[in-house]
Amino acid sequence: MSDWSRDDVTTLKGVGPKLKEKFDRLGIQNKQQLLFHLPLRYEDRTHLTPLGALQSGQRALIEAEILQAGSSFRRQGRFRRVLLVKLADATGFLTLRFFHFSNSQQQRLQKGQWLRCYGEARTIMGALEMVHPEYEIINPDHPPPLERFLTPVYPTTEGLHQIGLRKIMQQLLTELQQHRMEETLPDDWLRQYDFPGVSQALQILHNPLNQQDVALIQAFEHPAQIRFIIEELSAHRISLLQRRQQTAALPSPRVEDNPALTQAFLEALDFSLTPAQDRVVDEITEDLKKNQPMMRLVQGDVGSGKTVVAAMAVLPILGSGYQCALMAPTEILAEQHFKNFQSWIESLGFSVISLMGVDKGKKRQTKEAAIKTGQVDLVIGTHALFQASVEFHNLGMVIIDEQHRFGVDQRQALRNKARKNLMPHQLIMTATPIPRTLAMAIYADLDYSQIDELPPGRTPVKTSLIAHSQRQDLIDSVRKACVEGQQVYWVCTLIEESEALQCEAAEVTYTKLKQQLPGISVGLVHGRMKSTQKEHEIQAFKRGDLQVLVSTTVIEVGVDVPNASIMIIENPERLGLSQIHQLRGRVGRGHKQSYCILLVKNELSSQVANRLEVLRNHQDGFVIAEKDLEIRGAGEVLGTRQTGEASFRLVDLMRDKRWFKEAEQLANLLMLETYQHERSQLLHNWIGHRAQYSDVG
Ligand code: ADP
Ligand code: MG
C-alpha cells in the first residue's frame, strides 16, 4: 500500500516528459522523492503590510496605487534605462525600480492603477524601494484572496519555475492526505518526543500555517523537521552498519600473534612508543585476533607518529605469510614511507617495494610480477596500487594513509585486490582531526582509535602573522637563520585551486628567493615536477644540502625533516585552519624552537585575522578542527570525500550534532529484526538509490 509514493512523477497531472527531465536533474523520480524536496525558505503572503509600517530589509506583500510611472536613463556604471513607479497607500510611499522591462509592461503601469507587490523593501537615500518585485495589477474593490499558508520557496533548476513547482507540490500534498505515507518511526518515539507523524510533518514543512511555525523551521527547531533530521542521520548510520555487518561476515586472513617479531622491531627502533601509540597498537592487535576483517580508523594529529603504528600492524600480517599494501596520496610521502619501512622491516627478513605512477614499461612489469608471485611482502605506493594490472598473491591487509585524500571507491578498488571471498584487514589513517562525535557519526562502519599525544620533547611551534609589506625583513631573518644552520620551508599557496597556477607561483618565488638569498641553497618541489627530481630535492633537504625548500602544498602531507624549524606560508588566508595546521606540523619535530610565519595581505579583514588568530593560540589539531568546523561548516571542511559519500539532504553535521545521540539510538533500535519494515522504509526515504552502493565486492 505504500506503493503510491513510489509512483513515477509523471503520474501527476501536468508532469510530462519535459518536466520529468527537469525533475531528473533535481534527483527526483518518484512521488516520495518529490515529497522530500523540502522548501529552502518561505514567503509570507498571508497578510498585507501598510507602506507606513514597512521596514528596510523586510520582505512583504503590499497593495498601493500608482502615483507616477516613467522611465529614464540613469548612470549605473554605464547608462541604462530604468523604470521607476511611485506608489502610495493611506499610510506611506514606496518606489518600485525595474532595470529590465518591456514597453508593454511599462504601458500597463499607469497612474491610478492599483498594484499588489511582493518583494524586499530597502531604504535608498532615505526613501523605501523595491527592486524587481513580483507584482500584479488588481481591482482595489475586488482584490484577489490572500494566501492561507506561507508560500514555500523550493530549490529548483533552470526552466522549472517556483509557481509551477508549487502547483505540482500542492497536487501531491492533496494526494498525500488520501494516501498517507508509511510511518518510519516507532510509536514510542513519536509519543516520547511528541513528533508529528510522517504525513503531517511533510504537510507542515511544505505548508506551514503561521509565522510561529516558520520561525521554528528557520531555526531548525521545529519538531516536524527534527524528526526528519534524526531520521536522515539514522538512515545514514544504518546503511553503514549494514555494510559493516556484511563485511564482518566475510572470511578474513588468519593472523597469528608474533611477539618475537614485535620484540625485534621495537628493539631496533631508536625511540620507544608513546602510551597512546601503545594503546592503539593493542587495539589493532585485538582486532586481528577476532577472525573478522578489521576496519579501523586511526586518527592522530600531525606528527603524532602514525607511521610506526602502521608498521606494528604490518608485522603480524607479514609474519603470517600474507602481503600488505600501503597507499599514500603523494609520491613524496610514498617514497618516504618506503625508505622508513625498508629500514624497519628488511632487517627482519621481509621485502618491500614501491609502486608509483612513474614505474613504467619493463620496470613496472618486473615489480608487478614480484607482487603477483608473492616475492614481495609489502608494497608501498600511490594510486598506482589499485590499477587493474596490479594483482596480489595473497593480500592480507590494506593501509590507507591520509585517507581524506582518497575517495571511497579508491579504497574499495584496492581492497578488492584480495583473493576472491577473502576480505583483507583494513587500517585507515588520517591527520585531519575531526571531533570524536562527528567521526563516530560519519564513520559508523569503522572502529575508531585516536593517538592523542605527541612524542615527547616537542616544543610548540610559535606562530605569527607578517604582512607582505615586511617581506624584505622576513627574507633577512631567513638568511640569518640559514647561516645559523636552520632549515626553512617556504610554501606558496594560491587562491585558485589550480595546480598549474600553484606550481607557477612556486617557481616564481623560487627564482626570486634564489636572487634574494645569495650564498644560501634554495630548492623547489611541486606536483608538476618529475618524481625523480622531486625526490632529489627532498633528499637534498633532508641531508641539509638545501637550506630553503620552496614548495606548493604538496608538502602538506607527511614529509618528515626534523631539522627544519621555520615554516613560511604565503597567502594562508583562504586555506582551512586544519590545512594550515598540517603544514605547520612539518616543523616543530626536533628539539629546537620552531616558527610558523603566515605571510598575509597588508589589509586583512578582521574576520580573517580572527580566524588565523586561532592558530596562534592553539596547537591541538582537534581544537583547531573544531573551530574550523564552527567557522566554515562541516560541508566545506569535510567535503564529500570525508563524509564517506554521504551528502545529506537536510542534515548539517555541525548544526545538528545535538541530535547524534538520538540518531544513534534510533539506528540501533531499527537494526532489530522487529523493525525490519520501518528500517527499509527509512532507507528508502532517505538513502534511496544510494542504498544500493554496497561496499562489498
Ligand atoms: P604522522 O602521525 O604525522 O604521520 P609520523 O609517523 O610521520 O607522524 O611521525 C613523525 C615523527 O615522529 C617521525 O620522525 C617519527 O620517527 C617520530 N616519532 C614517532 N613516534 C615517536 C615516538 N614514540 N618517540 C619519538 N619520536 C617518534
Ligand atoms: Mg603520516
Side-chain angles (χ1 to χ4, degrees), residues 265-500:
F265 175 84
L266 287 174
E267 270 163 22
L269 206 60
D270 52 14
F271 51 77
S272 47
L273 298 187
T274 62
Q277 285 170 320
D278 261 331
R279 197 190 61 240
V280 174
V281 169
D282 283 347
E283 285 164 358
I284 292 169
T285 314
E286 283 306 308
D287 283 349
L288 294 177
K289 284 186 192 153
K290 276 186 195 152
N291 251 337
Q292 275 184 9
M294 170 170 83
M295 290 176 77
R296 186 167 287 277
L297 175 72
V298 174
Q299 284 206 338
D301 205 349
V302 46
S304 62
K306 292 183 289 294
T307 320
V308 71
V309 169
M312 300 275 295
V314 162
L315 294 176
I317 307 284
L318 303 189
S320 304
Y322 289 97
Q323 292 173 301
C324 280
L326 192 167
M327 181 160 73
T330 66
E331 286 181 358
I332 292 175
L333 184 53
E335 193 64 41
Q336 181 181 291
H337 282 333
F338 174 61
K339 295 225 154 68
N340 277 331
F341 277 83
Q342 244 184 339
S343 77
W344 284 335
I345 69 169
E346 278 189 349
S347 57
L348 299 173
F350 300 111
S351 58
V352 194
I353 60 164
S354 65
L355 188 72
M356 316 273 197
V358 286
D359 293 325
K360 296 226 165 72
K362 194 98 192 111
K363 194 166 157 202
R364 185 175 186 107
Q365 275 172 15
T366 315
K367 285 189 175 185
E368 284 185 359
I371 299 171
K372 191 172 175 182
T373 56
Q375 266 169 280
V376 290
D377 303 302
L378 172 61
V379 188
I380 295 178
T382 53
H383 303 72
L385 278 184
F386 58 74
Q387 267 150 27
S389 58
V390 182
E391 283 176 60
F392 285 82
H393 176 61
N394 59 352
L395 184 60
M397 183 187 274
V398 166
I399 300 174
I400 315 280
D401 193 17
E402 306 293 350
Q403 70 88 30
H404 63 289
R405 295 296 195 94
F406 295 104
V408 171
D409 29 333
Q410 291 172 317
R411 266 175 11 218
Q412 217 170 306
L414 181 54
R415 203 184 54 200
N416 290 344
K417 299 267 174 208
R419 255 184 296 163
K420 221 173 165 37
N421 286 330
L422 195 68
M423 180 57 94
H425 298 289
Q426 294 173 67
L427 184 64
I428 294 161
M429 306 196 291
T430 179
T432 302
I434 57 176
R436 187 185 174 87
T437 46
L438 194 54
M440 306 275 272
I442 299 172
Y443 304 116
D445 56 337
L446 302 177
D447 292 308
Y448 179 86
S449 294
Q450 192 173 320
I451 308 182
D452 50 10
E453 75 189 296
L454 296 180
R458 303 263 170 93
T459 25
V461 179
K462 284 196 178 139
T463 302
S464 53
L465 267 61
I466 288 187
H468 271 294
S469 54
Q470 290 167 281
R471 195 185 171 96
Q472 193 49 53
D473 297 345
L474 177 63
I475 288 173
D476 291 341
S477 329
V478 166
R479 179 183 308 113
K480 242 186 251 148
C482 288
V483 169
E484 286 166 11
Q486 305 201 43
Q487 286 181 286
V488 181
Y489 290 102
W490 190 300
V491 179
C492 304
T493 71
L494 264 199
I495 314 283
E496 292 91 335
E497 263 297 303
S498 148
E499 208 208 333

Side-chain angles (χ1 to χ4, degrees), residues 225-293:
Q225 214 170 14
I226 293 169
R227 69 158 282 161
F228 287 140
I229 287 171
I230 293 176
E231 279 185 43
E232 187 174 24
L233 283 167
S234 306
H236 176 64
R237 188 178 177 83
I238 288 170
S239 75
L240 291 174
L241 291 177
Q242 284 184 337
R243 189 152 83 177
R244 176 65 192 257
Q245 278 184 348
Q246 289 167 344
T247 310
L250 296 171
S252 58
R254 282 193 68 88
V255 181
E256 305 293 333
D257 215 6
N258 199 332
L261 203 54
T262 313
Q263 199 56 35
F265 175 84
L266 287 174
E267 270 163 22
L269 206 60
D270 52 14
F271 51 77
S272 47
L273 298 187
T274 62
Q277 285 170 320
D278 261 331
R279 197 190 61 240
V280 174
V281 169
D282 283 347
E283 285 164 358
I284 292 169
T285 314
E286 283 306 308
D287 283 349
L288 294 177
K289 284 186 192 153
K290 276 186 195 152
N291 251 337
Q292 275 184 9

Side-chain angles (χ1 to χ4, degrees), residues 110 122 127 134 162 214 352 376 563 605 630 668:
Q110 293 293 335
R122 287 249 166 247
E134 291 171 36
Q162 285 296 334
V214 170
V352 194
V376 290
N563 188 53
S605 77
E630 271 166 32
N668 293 346

